[in-house]
Amino acid sequence: MALILDNIAKIVSLTEAEQNLFLSKVETKHFKAKTILINAGEICKESYFVNSGLLRSFTINDNIVEHVLHFACEGWWIGDMYSLLSQKPGNLFIEVIEDSEIVLLSKENQEQLYFEIPKLERFFRILTENSLVAHQERLMDNLSLSAEDRFEKFCKRYPTLIQRVPQKQIASYIGVTPEFFSKMKSKLLRK
C-alpha cells in the first residue's frame, strides 16, 4: 500500500492515523488480463488505483470501433468520471490489459473520507483538475496535430507504455486505424 500513500503524499500530507483510516476504506484485488472492471451502461461505483499492471478505458461506437480514452499503469488512477460523479450509467468500459493489482475506493467511502480527512478532498480535486487539463491538451492535440506528431507526443509522454500496450490500442488512442498506424510507424522508423 506504500504506492498509493506515496501518490497521495505528492499532493497532501497525511498523519499516520489518517493513512490508516484511508487504508481501512480501500480494498485491494487482483485481476487477470482481459477482465472488464466496468461495462458501458453501468454505474461506476468506485475509483481504481493501479498498484501493478495496466488498465485502459475505452468506448465502442455504433460501428463497433473501439476508442481508447485512457491508459493507467502503476501509480495512476482510472475510472469513469462522468458516471462516478453523476451516479448515472456511464459510456466507458474499463479493462485490465495485464494481470494487475488494483486498489478500489468506493464512491461512498471516498465521500466519507472527505468528511473525516478534508485534505483528501483537496487531493482528489487536484487529481480532477490535472485530468481536466490533460483532456483539454489531448483534445487540442487531436484537433491541431498530425497523427505522426500525436504519436511522437504519446511516446515522449508515456515512454513506458510503448512496449506494454498493443499497437492497435495505441492507434486507437491517437485516433488512427491500426493499418494507418502500422504504415506510419514503418515510415517513422525509416527516417
Side-chain angles (χ1 to χ4, degrees):
M1 292 306 242
L3 187 59
I4 196 167
L5 293 176
D6 289 345
N7 182 264
I8 293 168
K10 290 176 185 174
I11 297 175
V12 297
S13 178
L14 299 180
T15 66
E16 187 174 340
E18 290 169 333
Q19 290 177 6
N20 290 333
L21 177 59
F22 174 80
L23 294 176
S24 75
K25 301 289 185 190
V26 298
E27 180 181 5
T28 302
K29 289 187 176 182
H30 292 85
F31 295 96
K32 293 283 186 197
K34 300 190 186 289
T35 301
I36 301 291
L37 299 180
I38 188 167
N39 285 292
E42 296 177 353
I43 295 175
C44 185
K45 297 184 184 315
E46 51 210 1
S47 298
Y48 307 99
F49 179 83
V50 183
N51 267 342
S52 65
L54 182 62
L55 279 66
R56 72 176 176 135
S57 67
F58 65 99
T59 187
I60 300 175
N61 71 13
D62 291 340
N63 296 324
I64 313 177
V65 175
E66 291 183 6
H67 298 281
V68 175
L69 273 72
H70 303 101
F71 294 106
C73 60
E74 296 82 4
W76 294 5
W77 291 87
I78 192 168
D80 184 332
M81 293 304 294
Y82 164 77
S83 180
L84 184 69
L85 295 174
S86 70
Q87 287 299 282
K88 295 179 181 175
N91 298 316
L92 298 180
F93 295 85
I94 298 180
E95 179 186 30
V96 178
I97 298 175
E98 298 173 352
D99 290 355
S100 298
E101 181 182 86
I102 309 297
V103 179
L104 292 77
L105 174 60
S106 71
K107 168 101 169 130
E108 181 182 325
N109 283 345
Q110 187 172 345
E111 292 293 334
Q112 193 174 9
L113 284 167
Y114 289 166
F115 179 74
E116 295 181 38
I117 309 171
K119 290 181 262 189
L120 287 176
E121 193 163 18
R122 180 175 187 270
F123 170 75
F124 283 104
R125 176 185 52 81
I126 290 171
L127 275 188
T128 303
E129 288 171 352
N130 290 343
S131 177
L132 179 62
V133 168
H135 285 342
Q136 182 175 323
E137 184 176 359
R138 183 166 170 220
L139 178 61
M140 296 303 296
D141 289 349
N142 285 345
L143 294 171
S144 62
L145 297 179
S146 68
E148 291 87 356
D149 290 341
R150 292 193 308 272
F151 177 60
E152 189 176 307
K153 201 166 187 178
F154 177 88
C155 292
K156 286 179 184 172
R157 185 173 287 149
Y158 310 114
T160 61
L161 295 183
I162 297 300
Q163 301 303 318
R164 295 173 68 185
V165 174
Q167 289 193 17
K168 69 178 185 175
Q169 292 177 10
I170 295 173
S172 174
Y173 182 87
I174 65 169
V176 298
T177 65
E179 298 78 17
F180 181 87
F181 181 77
S182 182
K183 290 176 188 172
M184 178 188 73
K185 197 171 171 192
S186 294
K187 183 177 143 188
L188 290 172
L189 290 173
R190 285 194 300 265
K191 284 186 180 180

